[in-house]
Amino acid sequence: MSGQYDNLGDALLRRAFVHALSADYRWHVYVGDAPADYLAALQLPPDAALYRSFSRWLLIASLRMLRPRRARFLSNPGEISSSRTEFGLGVASAWLLLLGRLVGNPGFRVGLGARDRVLPASVGHEVAARLARRNTWRDEESRRMYGRGEVSPDWAFSLSPRPPDEERRYVALVYRADWPLPSDEVLQSVVSWSRRHGLEPVAVSQALRDHEGTAALAQRLGLRHVGTDTRSLTVLERQVRALYSAAAVVVGNRVHGLIVGAVDGAAPAIVIGHPDVKLARTLRAAGLCAHDGVTVDAPHAVGPYLDLVHAQRTADGAAVLRADAALRRLANAVNGARS
């Protein structure tokens, strides 16, 4: 369950996964050099065995998977890519899945998204996908790349929502610091639309790595900034989700900012300054994002697009409930799978 350890979305995605699939398991989890605040945000079962060493985790996992009908392998949810690191992780997954097949221990790859599929770097994940009892992808494009399995919503859609605020009075802007921002004209159009509708636009940093860039964005646009530069995802979650639960719209390009915002009752809006490689397809897998987002430089399109998104908020709330129900059915199927 390694990931970006300063990214709240990475922790929340995996928390939802663990909580949905924790029935009757003792977890053996590779966490790498994860700091204490990331582990706290995961909310793993208290008896979970945590491993800092990948080789030791792989050894223990191999031994466990060789005990007939006593174990199962669950792949780390999230995004995979054709990189050297992912090649190794794919090969390790394929190895464990193969051991499980030999002795009747099933393996599952549920909740993955594929950034790309380029041989030979993708071969580990290719083989693992063939060996898994069940593959689910968080979007149709990922399923198409690998040519097997089915589509299910991102696990973050099964998070427990925060109690909603009595009044939806904010528009949250949540952007990655490492991707190009929309032009200032586009962003000012978002700010203007918000204020015309009596909503306060607020810049949000959902990952600690975004804090400095978001603070600069907030200063440039004259907005309040919500987020923390301290090493605590627990504090960050409390701040960010308090805002989402009182927001009418969440605008940006952090996919789990849009998802968590939707879970907490806001309508997700894609307004970006780069080609969209995963946002719309991930949201559409959960029945959201009925309207195309505003990409690159189109300030004139912002107002009409946000009008459509805002009007869709109630329907989006119903879609989140359906996505949660679909994930519960998937969890029940995995938990109830026989050897």
Side-chain angles (χ1 to χ4, degrees), residues 60-183:
I60 297 299
S62 299
L63 295 174
R64 296 278 174 172
M65 288 298 285
L66 282 171
R67 298 168 67 185
R69 294 174 175 80
R70 295 281 302 278
R72 61 184 58 201
F73 171 70
L74 298 168
S75 188
N76 187 25
E79 189 173 64
I80 61 174
S81 62
S82 302
S83 65
R84 180 178 299 179
T85 298
E86 288 291 340
F87 171 79
L89 293 173
V91 169
S93 298
W95 166 250
L96 293 172
L97 289 163
L98 177 61
L99 294 182
R101 276 205 167 197
L102 295 176
V103 297
N105 287 324
F108 301 89
R109 289 165 59 84
V110 285
L112 296 180
R115 186 182 307 171
D116 51 30
R117 178 189 173 211
V118 182
L119 290 170
S122 65
V123 70
H125 286 299
E126 301 256 7
V127 175
R130 293 177 182 274
L131 291 172
R133 171 75 64 86
R134 188 165 185 174
N135 291 277
T136 73
W137 306 91
R138 71 183 187 187
D139 61 85
E140 176 58 35
E141 179 64 16
S142 297
R143 190 209 66 77
R144 185 196 62 77
M145 281 187 207
Y146 278 81
R148 63 184 61 248
E150 62 203 274
V151 176
S152 65
D154 186 279
W155 282 104
F157 281 105
S158 69
L159 286 168
S160 298
R162 286 296 173 96
D165 198 282
E166 292 182 2
E167 182 185 0
R168 294 281 168 176
R169 57 189 184 277
Y170 301 118
V171 172
L173 285 74
V174 54
Y175 283 98
R176 296 175 58 132
D178 58 342
W179 285 4
L181 287 170
S183 67

Side-chain angles (χ1 to χ4, degrees), residues 209-223:
R209 66 188 60 200
D210 296 339
H211 182 84
E212 185 176 340
T214 304
L217 173 66
Q219 184 174 25
R220 193 164 74 247
L221 296 177
L223 307 182

